[in-house]
Amino acid sequence: MSTPDQDIPRVTRLLNRLAARRATFGGRITAFLSQPDPRTIGSFARGRQLCAGNFLFAGTLVRDSEKSPWDIHPPDTAFSREVHGFTWLDDLAAAGDAKARSCAQDWLWRWIELYGRGRGPGWTPDLAGRRVIRWINHAIFLLSGRTQAQSDLFLRSLSQQTQFLARRWRATAPGLPRFEALTGLVYAGLSLEGLSANVVPASVALARECARQIDEQGGLPTRNPEELLEVFTLLTWAAETLTEAGQNPLPAHWAAIERISPTLRTLRHADGGLACFHGGGRGIDGRLDAALAASQIKGRHANGLSMGFARLSAGRSSLIIDAAVPPQAKASASAHASTLAFELTAGRRPLIVNCGSGATFGAAWRRAGRATPSHSTLVLNGQSSSRLGKGPQKQDYLVEGPRDVPIRVNHAPDGLTFEGGHDGYVRGYGLTHVRKLEMTFDGRGIAGEDMLLALEDSDKKLFDRAIDAMKLRGVPFDIRFHLHPDVDVSVDMGGTAISMALKSGEIWIFRGDGSTSLSVESSVYLESGRLKPRATKQIVLSGRAMEYATRTRWSLAKPQDSPIGVRDLAEDGRKPVALS
């Protein structure tokens, strides 16, 4: 059977189990001193699906209305982690009816019966922290109509898990897992009688992790926007809970929130979703807006990088570019070879995207989603700009990727300009990829230029060898633009332009400069929460690098007679005065 901790080193796994069993000996019945308001956001639809016996976790669906989650043989580790983390309590609470309450109660007390004595899966500090937060958040929902004996069992288990967290939070990996464990410890210490001694040490540790893990740009070493949102959400929850209890967050804790908020606003598309890079998705609907509102910090970074990403935004369009070297192997096992890839959203409609993280669809999709061809950027000879290699615990890490990514963001006379380059293809082909993107001030037009340049004499020698290996036919390249599944695409007469229709009614036109072949090919969109990848299309410009300098120009434009979606304007809070 797959368990949530099977990928953890054996010694750590053993120590976690010993600490879990030791905690159960000291667990006692406690009582609530205060209870934080439920701040987690669940899905009503998913709550109803769970009540009907549709268990969708980590991209795997198991249907059985007669079983609880604990009666299901977990197909993989990711499935087990999601079940034992109890985030599904948010969904059942969102459904909120008698059936949802019954399921939540039955499944929780069944977990206590099976695993409450510190045995079995789920006893890792990050999962315990995630679980404690949900149990406390939804305590009223869970305890309604239960007997005193059941309430005592619930409170004793919370006490035991808190003691486990106090002993083992240091065993979590730095980053999101540690923030989950420490936030859970703060929550429990402030909410439960007799556990307040944990609050100060946990608060100090949380502030220390903020100083260590959140850089000056307000980013994480993993450069995963969705993970940054999860950390930011935890920090705001902890800060609000401390404040409500009359205890101010430490300066480093609050300073981290102040650094992260502008970064998330920079990484937020016009439709409210996050840019999908380095293993992250668009984020749970409503979570980003709720977290930003709770922080009460407005504004975003001016021209420059936010966690290694650059942003161009004008009118109703937003364009976000991966403009830094990929995360180092020691920082992330989910980094993508996406240097200089971009995503474009028009109003509330994603237009050009990356394929996304395939982690919830299995190892093969996860690996495919990390490759350069799964991103909206240039691909040389079908190869990624960073190579995948094996790291600790036999996980795949990016190695031999770009080492230098110079960028510049400027105001041009008629708009905004991004210029960047990377040397990921220099070692194999002697070619530097340079990308220039221009956006008009009204957001209705984007001009792009992709160049492959052999800059140094040594680079030219490498390129000559590559040309010889190709029998003087040139080094093939593709410039890919993956489209969101909701975009309808058609090739115009003569094949010189491609029309893209959004559900809002807007029309965008893509054109190449004629130096490359223009085609529409199949693609996929790896969207978390779905059972399988969504079919979509991609625009591809294909050519061959024959000289030391190869230049390809292309453009995206919304014609003046393209309508602005009335529905989108209403959602934006605007009046549809002019539809041109």
Side-chain angles (χ1 to χ4, degrees), residues 322-452:
D322 186 353
V325 297
Q328 300 298 307
K330 63 181 180 181
S332 175
S334 299
H336 286 202
S338 57
T339 311
L340 297 188
F342 73 88
E343 290 194 323
L344 171 66
T345 294
R348 291 185 173 272
R349 307 293 171 176
L351 178 55
I352 293 175
V353 297
N354 297 312
C355 290
S357 171
T360 61
F361 302 105
W365 278 116
R366 176 178 180 271
R367 190 178 181 90
R370 299 174 70 188
T372 303
S374 295
H375 299 82
S376 293
T377 187
L378 181 143
V379 182
L380 189 61
N381 198 25
Q383 298 182 9
S384 289
S385 55
S386 297
R387 185 175 64 84
L388 281 175
K390 294 293 183 182
Q393 284 87 57
K394 298 183 179 180
Q395 295 192 65
D396 288 329
Y397 290 86
L398 290 187
V399 296
E400 296 184 7
R403 298 174 182 173
D404 186 28
V405 185
I407 70 106
R408 182 169 56 192
V409 179
N410 289 323
H411 284 268
D414 60 346
L416 303 168
T417 301
F418 166 86
E419 295 176 281
H422 78 77
D423 58 355
Y425 292 117
V426 168
R427 286 183 291 280
Y429 300 92
L431 294 173
T432 296
H433 175 208
V434 176
R435 167 163 271 186
K436 183 176 181 180
L437 301 169
E438 298 175 310
M439 177 181 285
T440 59
F441 279 132
D442 60 5
R444 301 177 70 99
I446 296 166
E449 183 177 55
D450 285 287
M451 293 172 280
L452 288 168

